[in-house]
């Protein structure tokens, strides 16, 4: 296992991180333990969760995932695990979470309430990486950074990061941290995949110049890059099958973003390309997302134990110059499948 560092922090992580957002909803606790055990046995030392998990977010079972992860954590040496979680994003953003009765903000009050809850559910006295799940459009980022800085000084959090952020948001936060001598975001967790390479447009440049690491999520496009939607039908029990039937137009829009004519056409090309190199399309997709120097660790997910295998194979698969050129040709041919 070739480990990488997150930003300029002391967090030495495996190139693949296990995401846990289905644990407690579509994945039972027993299945979750099996998945985490298998990941750990294969050298994965980095695990990511959030206070609003599992998905889809519901007030009736929010925090369940952290409890499951916390129970599993007791079966392993705590110092052997790099544990990341997140404070729910602000209700002023793209989504109003059920957390704290839909009144969330990235202010001092909510950040401190959130970390206390997470530490209790995870049954640990510190979190290695604490992330803002998405930005606050109202509260000044300086207030947020001051609150995160206090958590680091108190020893409850080792390092902090952001998620679902923009080039402007990351840059502004980084400059405020410099000038105010506050702990900075060492990482940014954004959507990045063969179907959504937009991170390369501007955000990658910020990460490279400022030594901030990307932690890509949805490297297989929410399952689309596996090819399971290529028949033109929505498979039973799959995430975007349920999203497409959802009454909430925002949820339906997410299904349409991931599953549309361009994503299906691009996926067909990637499936053929993976076959040419003797690997599964999932392995190709995960290998692509961890290919770049500004990426510290790619976040994979699995609802079932067997879904982990092809993602784990990407640990030892490297994208050659020839293969990368073929990927770029597909990306030029079908620009921005996810918009």
């Amino acid at each position: 296992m070739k480990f990488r560092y997150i930003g300029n922090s002391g967090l030495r992580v495996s190139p693949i991180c296990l995401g846990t957002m289905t644990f407690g909803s579509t994945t039972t606790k027993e299945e979750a333990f099996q998945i985490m055990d298998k990941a750990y046995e294969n050298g994965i030392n980095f695990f990511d969760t959030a206070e609003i998990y599992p998905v889809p977010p519901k007030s009736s079972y929010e925090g369940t995932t952290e409890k499951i992860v916390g129970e599993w954590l007791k079966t392993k040496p705590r110092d052997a695990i790099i544990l990341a979680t997140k404070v729910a994003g602000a209700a002023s953003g793209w989504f109003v979470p059920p957390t704290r009765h839909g009144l969330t903000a990235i202010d001092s009050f909510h950040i401190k309430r959130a970390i206390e809850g997470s530490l209790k559910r995870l049954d640990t006295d510190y979190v290695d990486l604490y992330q803002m799940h998405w930005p606050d459009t109202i509260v000044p980022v300086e207030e947020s950074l001051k609150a995160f800085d206090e958590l680091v000084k108190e020893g409850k959090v080792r390092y902090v990061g952001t998620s679902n952020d923009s080039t402007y948001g990351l840059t502004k936060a980084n400059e405020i941290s410099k000038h105010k001598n506050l702990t900075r975001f060492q990482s940014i967790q954004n959507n990045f995949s063969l179907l959504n390479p937009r991170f390369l447009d501007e955000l990658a440049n910020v990460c490279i110049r400022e030594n901030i690491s990307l932690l890509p999520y949805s490297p297989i496009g929410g399952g689309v890059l596996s090819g399971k939607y290529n028949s033109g039908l929505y498979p039973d029990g799959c995430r975007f099958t349920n999203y497409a039937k959802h009454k909430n137009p925002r949820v339906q829009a997410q299904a349409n973003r991931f599953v549309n004519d361009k994503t299906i056409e691009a996926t067909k090309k990637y499936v053929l390309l993976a076959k040419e190199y003797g690997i599964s399309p999932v392995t190709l997709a995960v290998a692509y997302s961890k290919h770049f120097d500004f990426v510290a660790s790619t976040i994979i997910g699995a609802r079932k134990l067997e879904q982990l295998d092809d993602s784990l194979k990407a640990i030892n698969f490297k994208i050659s110059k020839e293969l990368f050129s073929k990927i770029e040709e597909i990306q030029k041919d079908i620009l921005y499948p996810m918009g």
Side-chain angles (χ1 to χ4, degrees), residues 206-224:
V206 178
C207 287
I208 292 167
R209 290 178 178 272
E210 300 296 333
N211 194 24
I212 297 170
S213 294
L214 169 63
L215 306 174
Y217 69 82
S218 290
I220 62 171
V224 177

Side-chain angles (χ1 to χ4, degrees), residues 102-277:
L103 299 176
T104 54
I106 309 298
D107 59 10
S108 180
F109 172 82
H110 283 278
I111 289 172
K112 291 179 179 180
R113 285 292 290 261
I115 191 61
E116 292 300 336
S118 289
L119 291 175
K120 183 177 180 180
R121 289 186 292 271
L122 291 165
D123 197 12
T124 184
D125 57 354
Y126 72 97
V127 166
D128 296 281
L129 180 66
Y130 197 47
Q131 303 155 105
M132 175 174 69
H133 212 144
W134 61 88
D136 196 315
T137 61
I138 306 297
V139 176
V141 70
E142 183 175 340
E143 178 179 342
S144 307
L145 290 168
K146 285 180 179 177
F148 286 130
D149 189 67
E150 289 176 11
L151 296 184
V152 172
K153 289 176 179 175
E154 292 170 2
K156 295 174 181 176
V157 169
R158 291 180 63 191
Y159 299 98
V160 297
T162 186
S163 184
N164 297 300
D165 217 334
S166 65
T167 307
Y168 171 78
L170 180 60
T171 302
K172 183 173 183 178
N174 193 47
E175 291 305 306
I176 288 174
S177 294
K178 289 179 184 177
H179 294 293
K180 299 292 184 178
N181 195 29
L182 299 170
T183 190
R184 72 160 196 163
F185 291 142
Q186 298 288 352
S187 62
I188 177 171
Q189 186 179 144
N190 274 31
N191 188 297
F192 178 65
S193 70
L194 288 167
L195 297 177
N196 186 23
R198 280 199 176 274
F199 198 91
L200 297 173
D201 293 349
E202 288 293 340
L203 269 164
N205 191 39
V206 178
C207 287
I208 292 167
R209 290 178 178 272
E210 300 296 333
N211 194 24
I212 297 170
S213 294
L214 169 63
L215 306 174
Y217 69 82
S218 290
I220 62 171
V224 177
L225 282 162
S226 69
K228 64 185 178 183
Y229 293 93
N230 284 12
S231 66
L233 301 173
Y234 282 93
D236 290 337
C238 292
R239 186 196 315 181
F240 297 123
T241 302
N242 296 330
Y243 283 16
K245 299 174 183 178
H246 205 282
K247 295 180 180 180
N248 189 322
R250 284 179 178 264
V251 178
Q252 290 179 5
Q254 190 173 1
N256 293 333
R257 185 188 180 208
F258 279 83
V259 186
N260 58 62
D261 291 342
K262 290 179 73 173
T263 61
I264 295 302
E265 185 60 30
T267 297
K268 288 178 181 178
K269 292 178 180 290
Y270 290 126
V271 169
L272 291 174
L273 186 59
K275 187 176 181 180
E276 179 184 339
Y277 282 81

Side-chain angles (χ1 to χ4, degrees), residues 43-54:
I44 305 302
N45 74 337
F46 189 21
F47 295 79
D48 178 75
T49 187
E51 66 170 337
I52 67 170
Y53 290 167

Side-chain angles (χ1 to χ4, degrees), residues 193-194 197 270 288 327-335:
S193 70
L194 288 167
Y270 290 126
Y288 172 81
I327 289 171
E328 286 187 313
E329 286 302 313
I330 295 174
Q331 291 178 335
K332 289 176 183 176
D333 186 40
I334 305 176
L335 291 172

Side-chain angles (χ1 to χ4, degrees), residues 82-106:
I82 302 298
L83 179 63
T85 191
K86 312 176 196 76
V87 52
S92 63
W94 61 276
F95 163 70
V96 178
T99 312
R100 290 179 288 285
H101 300 281
L103 299 176
T104 54
I106 309 298

